[in-house]
Amino acid sequence: MREILGRRLQRLRDRFQSLRPDRVQSGGTSSLLEAALTCATTFQWPVLPGVGRSSTDGARCACPDPDCAVPGAHPFDPGLLAASTDPRMVAWWWTNRPTAPVLMATGGSAPCAVSLPAGAAARALVRLDAQGMRLGPVVATPTRWALLVAPYSLERLGELLYAKDHVPSSLRFHGEGGYLLLPPSAASSGGQVRWEREPRPAPPRQAVTKSPGTKSPGTKPPGARASQASGTELWLPDVEAVVDALVEASSGAPGGGSRLAY
């Protein structure tokens, strides 16, 4: 049985290699490599290359699935568990595959994300801004936006959603074991991934003299925190702080989000 599974896996890899675009020779560092290195080394986000598009048919994914729902924008070889912050590994990946999309493995010590249709996300950001909520990075494709939030566990997310009367299917959660497509990758729905709101450093922790009834120095506003990256400390809201606005905005999204379209 092990030999049969091994042969099947090798056939999949051989087919993948035949569908994968040829290497692109470049005299300089590609923007995708620069983005991947920035995420891995500056933000300490584990990244890996996505599968990319077929070299023979740019509309198709380079993976063996002819009906792939997110063509080019998912892990395949290497798999998601290979995501790394090692700059040598990242440089090797994108030196060999300079056109590969940049994927971040979400959860653990890395940010999580909540994604929703683009129009609904724009409305949600207006509402959150009006509430004075400090938001983190927002990743945008032509069809969907994703708000990066502080890491959360599946148990914590489950309790949060259980308390809601309704959670639209167009709202998706990228937690541990998930991934997110990052700029400047090509989006599977066409166009390019971009930052609607770029990563921003967390506000400095000011040392103040504590008086009765005041918060201790360095206390963050409710519902937000700084990421614990060893590089640049980034601002990420808690999922509880944004989920109500996202649920409300997604409830009126057309189509119900039955198909992934990153």
Side-chain angles (χ1 to χ4, degrees), residues 45 104 106 111-118 120-129 133-140 144-152 171-175 180 182 195-197 235-239 241-247 249-250:
W45 296 348
M104 174 182 69
T106 54
C112 293
V114 186
S115 69
L116 63 164
R123 294 192 298 272
L125 261 60
V126 170
R127 173 180 170 180
L128 291 167
D129 286 340
M133 174 61 63
R134 182 184 175 93
L135 298 175
V138 178
V139 175
R144 295 185 69 83
W145 292 7
L147 282 73
L148 270 61
V149 297
Y152 55 73
L171 194 63
R172 302 194 186 100
F173 297 87
H174 309 255
L180 188 69
L182 295 179
W195 292 112
E196 173 65 22
R197 299 198 180 179
W235 184 259
L236 297 170
D238 283 337
V239 64
V242 301
V243 71
D244 285 343
L246 302 185
V247 166
S250 297

Side-chain angles (χ1 to χ4, degrees), residues 6-21:
R7 288 197 296 269
R8 289 184 62 188
L9 179 58
Q10 187 58 48
R11 284 198 297 270
L12 283 174
R13 292 185 185 277
D14 290 343
R15 184 181 177 191
F16 168 72
Q17 291 294 342
S18 67
L19 292 172
R20 176 181 283 173

